[in-house]
Amino acid sequence: NAGVTQTPKFQVLKTGQSMTLQCAQDMNHEYMSWYRQDPGMGLRLIHYSVGAGITDQGEVPNGYNVSRSTTEDFPLRLLSAAPSQTSVYFCASSLNTGLGYTFGSGTRLTVV
Amino acid sequence: KNEVEQSPQNLTAQEGEFITINCSYSVGISALHWLQQHPGGGIVSLFMLSSGKKKHGRLIATINIQEKHSSLHITASHPRDSAVYICAVNYSGGGADGLTFGKGTHLIIQP
Protein backbone atom coordinates (compact mmCIF):
# COMPACT_ATOMS: atom_id res chain seq x y z
CA ASN A 1 0.00 0.00 0.00
CA ALA A 2 1.24 3.46 -0.88
CA GLY A 3 2.03 5.60 2.11
CA VAL A 4 4.61 6.49 4.72
CA THR A 5 6.34 3.64 6.54
CA GLN A 6 8.04 4.21 9.87
CA THR A 7 10.21 1.70 11.69
CA PRO A 8 10.48 0.65 14.41
CA LYS A 9 7.06 1.10 16.05
CA PHE A 10 8.49 0.86 19.57
CA GLN A 11 12.00 1.31 20.94
CA VAL A 12 13.60 1.50 24.36
CA LEU A 13 17.05 3.06 24.58
CA LYS A 14 19.48 3.66 27.38
CA THR A 15 20.76 7.17 27.95
CA GLY A 16 23.71 7.85 25.67
CA GLN A 17 22.83 5.25 23.05
CA SER A 18 22.34 6.23 19.44
CA MET A 19 19.76 5.02 16.98
CA THR A 20 18.08 5.82 13.68
CA LEU A 21 14.35 6.10 13.13
CA GLN A 22 13.50 5.12 9.59
CA CYS A 23 10.95 6.82 7.36
CA ALA A 24 10.18 5.84 3.78
CA GLN A 25 7.48 6.95 1.35
CA ASP A 26 6.59 5.61 -2.09
CA MET A 27 4.45 8.49 -3.35
CA ASN A 28 7.32 10.49 -4.91
CA HIS A 29 6.69 13.29 -2.42
CA GLU A 30 9.31 16.01 -2.38
CA TYR A 31 8.52 17.29 1.10
CA MET A 32 9.21 15.17 4.20
CA SER A 33 9.29 16.12 7.84
CA TRP A 34 9.74 14.74 11.36
CA TYR A 35 7.62 15.70 14.35
CA ARG A 36 7.57 14.74 17.99
CA GLN A 37 4.41 14.53 20.06
CA ASP A 38 4.53 15.09 23.80
CA PRO A 39 1.61 15.20 26.25
CA GLY A 40 0.22 18.72 26.60
CA MET A 41 2.58 20.09 23.94
CA GLY A 42 1.06 19.07 20.65
CA LEU A 43 3.20 18.04 17.71
CA ARG A 44 6.40 19.98 17.05
CA LEU A 45 8.58 20.09 13.95
CA ILE A 46 12.09 18.64 14.38
CA HIS A 47 13.58 18.69 10.86
CA TYR A 48 12.24 18.86 7.35
CA SER A 49 13.37 18.38 3.77
CA VAL A 50 12.04 19.94 0.57
CA GLY A 51 13.86 17.47 -1.66
CA ALA A 52 16.80 15.09 -1.94
CA GLY A 53 19.96 16.70 -0.62
CA ILE A 54 18.13 19.54 1.14
CA THR A 55 17.33 19.55 4.85
CA ASP A 56 16.63 22.24 7.42
CA GLN A 57 15.88 22.61 11.10
CA GLY A 58 12.47 22.97 12.61
CA GLU A 59 11.36 24.15 16.03
CA VAL A 60 13.13 21.51 18.17
CA PRO A 61 16.20 20.20 16.25
CA ASN A 62 18.71 19.82 19.10
CA GLY A 63 19.93 16.24 19.59
CA TYR A 64 18.71 15.08 16.18
CA ASN A 65 20.33 14.76 12.76
CA VAL A 66 18.76 14.08 9.40
CA SER A 67 19.86 13.43 5.84
CA ARG A 68 17.97 13.02 2.57
CA SER A 69 20.02 11.07 0.04
CA THR A 70 16.97 9.84 -1.90
CA THR A 71 13.45 11.14 -2.48
CA GLU A 72 12.01 8.08 -0.71
CA ASP A 73 13.92 8.02 2.58
CA PHE A 74 14.29 10.51 5.41
CA PRO A 75 15.93 8.92 8.48
CA LEU A 76 16.10 10.67 11.85
CA ARG A 77 19.22 10.02 13.96
CA LEU A 78 19.50 10.38 17.69
CA LEU A 79 23.19 10.88 18.38
CA SER A 80 23.21 10.39 22.17
CA ALA A 81 19.76 9.64 23.54
CA ALA A 82 18.50 11.56 26.56
CA PRO A 83 15.38 10.97 28.70
CA SER A 84 14.00 14.29 27.34
CA GLN A 85 13.79 12.59 23.94
CA THR A 86 11.19 10.15 25.23
CA SER A 87 8.29 10.88 22.90
CA VAL A 88 6.21 9.64 19.99
CA TYR A 89 7.80 10.49 16.65
CA PHE A 90 5.87 10.97 13.42
CA CYS A 91 7.18 11.25 9.92
CA ALA A 92 5.02 12.97 7.29
CA SER A 93 5.31 13.62 3.60
CA SER A 94 3.60 15.85 1.09
CA LEU A 95 3.88 16.56 -2.60
CA ASN A 96 4.75 20.09 -1.56
CA THR A 97 4.58 22.06 1.65
CA GLY A 98 1.11 23.52 1.95
CA LEU A 99 -0.53 20.51 0.31
CA GLY A 100 -2.13 17.53 2.05
CA TYR A 101 0.10 15.48 4.32
CA THR A 102 0.40 11.71 4.78
CA PHE A 103 1.62 10.60 8.19
CA GLY A 104 3.44 7.48 9.23
CA SER A 105 2.05 5.36 12.06
CA GLY A 106 4.56 6.69 14.58
CA THR A 107 7.48 5.43 16.65
CA ARG A 108 7.10 5.34 20.42
CA LEU A 109 10.56 5.92 21.91
CA THR A 110 11.44 5.58 25.57
CA VAL A 111 14.87 6.62 26.84
CA VAL A 112 15.76 5.28 30.29
CA LYS B 1 6.00 32.72 18.35
CA ASN B 2 3.18 31.98 15.94
CA GLU B 3 0.55 29.92 17.72
CA VAL B 4 -2.48 27.84 16.90
CA GLU B 5 -5.24 27.83 19.49
CA GLN B 6 -7.97 25.22 19.62
CA SER B 7 -11.17 25.12 21.63
CA PRO B 8 -12.52 23.31 23.43
CA GLN B 9 -9.66 21.15 24.74
CA ASN B 10 -12.11 18.40 25.73
CA LEU B 11 -15.65 17.74 24.53
CA THR B 12 -18.08 15.01 25.53
CA ALA B 13 -21.37 14.76 23.64
CA GLN B 14 -24.20 12.33 23.04
CA GLU B 15 -24.56 10.36 19.84
CA GLY B 16 -26.39 12.38 17.19
CA GLU B 17 -25.32 15.80 18.43
CA PHE B 18 -23.85 18.47 16.14
CA ILE B 19 -20.20 19.06 17.07
CA THR B 20 -18.11 22.18 16.49
CA ILE B 21 -14.39 22.48 17.13
CA ASN B 22 -12.69 25.84 16.70
CA CYS B 23 -9.20 26.87 15.64
CA SER B 24 -7.61 30.31 15.55
CA TYR B 25 -4.16 31.38 14.41
CA SER B 26 -2.10 34.51 14.72
CA VAL B 27 -0.64 35.50 11.35
CA GLY B 28 -1.08 34.85 7.65
CA ILE B 29 -1.16 31.27 6.48
CA SER B 30 -0.91 29.47 3.16
CA ALA B 31 -3.01 26.50 4.29
CA LEU B 32 -4.87 25.09 7.28
CA HIS B 33 -5.23 21.39 7.99
CA TRP B 34 -7.61 19.37 10.12
CA LEU B 35 -6.22 16.04 11.33
CA GLN B 36 -7.74 13.14 13.25
CA GLN B 37 -5.83 10.97 15.71
CA HIS B 38 -7.48 7.84 17.09
CA PRO B 39 -6.51 6.19 20.38
CA GLY B 40 -4.24 3.82 18.46
CA GLY B 41 -2.13 6.86 17.62
CA GLY B 42 -2.22 7.11 13.83
CA ILE B 43 -2.80 10.55 12.31
CA VAL B 44 -5.11 10.97 9.34
CA SER B 45 -5.49 14.12 7.28
CA LEU B 46 -9.15 15.13 7.05
CA PHE B 47 -9.06 18.47 5.24
CA MET B 48 -6.71 21.02 3.80
CA LEU B 49 -8.17 24.51 3.37
CA SER B 50 -6.92 27.80 2.05
CA SER B 51 -10.34 29.42 1.73
CA GLY B 52 -14.06 28.74 1.99
CA LYS B 53 -15.57 25.44 2.97
CA LYS B 54 -15.07 21.72 2.36
CA LYS B 55 -17.36 18.77 3.09
CA HIS B 56 -16.66 15.07 3.31
CA GLY B 57 -19.48 12.86 4.48
CA ARG B 58 -20.59 14.12 7.90
CA LEU B 59 -17.56 16.38 8.33
CA ILE B 60 -17.51 20.03 7.28
CA ALA B 61 -14.56 22.40 7.57
CA THR B 62 -14.73 26.15 7.13
CA ILE B 63 -12.15 28.90 7.21
CA ASN B 64 -12.42 32.69 7.53
CA ILE B 65 -9.13 34.14 6.38
CA GLN B 66 -9.91 37.70 7.53
CA GLU B 67 -10.75 36.55 11.06
CA LYS B 68 -7.94 33.94 11.12
CA HIS B 69 -10.38 31.29 12.27
CA SER B 70 -11.48 27.83 11.19
CA SER B 71 -14.15 25.44 12.40
CA LEU B 72 -14.60 21.71 12.06
CA HIS B 73 -18.19 20.48 12.28
CA ILE B 74 -19.43 16.93 12.69
CA THR B 75 -23.09 16.30 11.91
CA ALA B 76 -25.02 13.35 13.41
CA SER B 77 -22.05 12.42 15.60
CA HIS B 78 -21.32 8.75 16.27
CA PRO B 79 -19.16 6.98 18.87
CA ARG B 80 -16.67 6.11 16.11
CA ASP B 81 -16.01 9.86 15.76
CA SER B 82 -14.33 9.75 19.20
CA ALA B 83 -10.76 10.87 18.61
CA VAL B 84 -8.40 13.79 19.01
CA TYR B 85 -8.92 16.44 16.34
CA ILE B 86 -5.89 18.57 15.55
CA CYS B 87 -5.71 21.87 13.69
CA ALA B 88 -2.42 22.70 11.96
CA VAL B 89 -1.28 25.52 9.70
CA ASN B 90 1.40 26.32 7.18
CA TYR B 91 2.48 29.85 7.98
CA SER B 92 3.28 31.96 4.94
CA GLY B 93 6.28 34.21 4.68
CA GLY B 94 9.35 32.22 5.70
CA GLY B 95 10.62 30.76 8.92
CA ALA B 96 10.65 27.03 9.62
CA ASP B 97 8.78 25.20 6.95
CA GLY B 98 6.22 22.58 7.87
CA LEU B 99 3.20 22.53 10.11
CA THR B 100 2.47 24.40 13.34
CA PHE B 101 -0.04 22.46 15.42
CA GLY B 102 -2.71 23.20 17.95
CA LYS B 103 -2.78 21.03 21.04
CA GLY B 104 -5.83 19.13 19.87
CA THR B 105 -9.44 18.66 20.95
CA HIS B 106 -10.24 15.37 22.67
CA LEU B 107 -13.75 14.39 21.53
CA ILE B 108 -15.81 11.63 23.15
CA ILE B 109 -19.18 10.67 21.69
CA GLN B 110 -21.26 8.61 24.08
CA PRO B 111 -23.89 6.17 22.76
Side-chain angles (χ1 to χ4, degrees):
Chain A
N1 290 337
V4 177
T5 302
Q6 281 186 245
T7 56
K9 292 193 185 305
F10 302 93
Q11 183 71 48
V12 179
L13 287 179
K14 293 183 179 179
T15 297
Q17 286 185 318
S18 63
M19 80 159 294
T20 299
L21 280 62
Q22 301 291 345
C23 176
Q25 53 90 12
D26 58 2
M27 298 171 285
N28 204 32
H29 285 173
E30 289 295 326
Y31 181 82
M32 297 184 75
S33 48
W34 277 102
Y35 302 89
R36 58 178 289 172
Q37 185 176 38
D38 301 294
M41 297 289 293
L43 289 122
R44 292 178 292 169
L45 178 66
I46 305 171
H47 284 284
Y48 66 95
S49 168
V50 297
I54 306 168
T55 64
D56 208 343
Q57 297 180 353
E59 181 184 354
V60 288
N62 292 340
Y64 307 95
N65 272 2
V66 292
S67 60
R68 183 96 179 269
S69 56
T70 67
T71 299
E72 293 77 22
D73 299 296
F74 190 43
L76 179 72
R77 297 182 187 85
L78 281 70
L79 305 174
S80 178
S84 61
Q85 293 177 305
T86 293
S87 188
V88 181
Y89 292 85
F90 287 94
C91 178
S93 74
S94 175
L95 197 58
N96 203 342
T97 179
L99 298 180
Y101 287 71
T102 301
F103 286 81
S105 57
T107 296
R108 185 173 295 273
L109 176 68
T110 302
V111 183
V112 298
Chain B
K1 182 176 180 295
N2 298 330
E3 291 192 343
V4 177
E5 301 288 340
Q6 282 186 241
S7 63
Q9 288 187 329
N10 297 284
L11 178 58
T12 299
Q14 296 298 121
E15 183 173 356
E17 287 189 35
F18 182 82
I19 303 299
T20 296
I21 299 170
N22 296 299
C23 174
S24 60
Y25 50 92
S26 54
V27 295
I29 63 170
S30 57
L32 182 142
H33 306 257
W34 281 103
L35 310 169
Q36 180 191 57
Q37 186 173 29
H38 276 285
I43 298 173
V44 175
S45 178
L46 298 175
F47 294 103
M48 186 195 68
L49 295 160
S50 54
S51 65
K53 176 180 175 179
K54 287 190 177 180
K55 184 176 189 292
H56 186 258
R58 295 179 295 105
L59 273 60
I60 304 165
T62 64
I63 188 168
N64 185 317
I65 296 296
Q66 287 73 29
E67 295 187 4
K68 296 184 175 59
H69 180 269
S70 175
S71 293
L72 177 68
H73 305 287
I74 305 174
T75 62
S77 59
H78 190 275
R80 64 176 174 266
D81 297 324
S82 298
V84 177
Y85 291 84
I86 302 169
C87 175
V89 302
N90 293 103
Y91 280 111
S92 52
D97 221 345
L99 293 168
T100 301
F101 295 82
K103 293 182 180 178
T105 295
H106 189 191
L107 175 65
I108 298 173
I109 304 296
Q110 295 178 335

